[in-house]
Every structure is written in structure tokens, then in C-alpha cells.
């Protein structure tokens, strides 16, 4: 997975929760066990 960039929006395809990255870095973003997808 690419680095999470500050200001980018991500969502959980499983539950629909949305997240905004406030501090970027190298990490795999997950909601429970489900990887988050970048919202376009």
C-alpha cells in the first residue's frame, strides 16, 4: 500500500465509515480487518 497522505479521504467498503488522514505516514489503513480504500 502507498503512504497515507495528509488530507486524503479513505472509506471502509464494509461498513461505510469515512476517514480523513491528519498525519500521513507509511501504514496500512484498516477498519477492523478490512483495508480502507481511497475515496476519489
Amino acid at each position: 500500500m502507498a503512504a497515507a497522505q495528509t488530507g486524503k479521504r479513505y472509506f471502509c467498503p464494509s461498513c461505510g465509515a469515512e476517514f480523513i488522514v491528519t498525519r500521513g505516514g507509511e501504514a496500512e489503513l484498516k477498519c477492523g480487518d478490512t483495508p480502507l480504500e481511497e475515496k476519489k
Side-chain angles (χ1 to χ4, degrees):
M1 176 175 198
Q5 296 179 352
T6 302
K8 294 284 185 177
R9 292 176 179 263
Y10 293 85
F11 73 98
C12 175
S14 180
C15 71
E18 293 188 18
F19 304 88
I20 298 174
V21 176
T22 58
R23 205 177 270 189
E26 293 288 330
E28 184 175 6
L29 302 176
K30 290 186 173 185
C31 179
D33 291 331
T34 306
L36 300 182
E37 297 179 9
E38 186 175 346
K39 190 168 186 177
K40 305 214 181 209

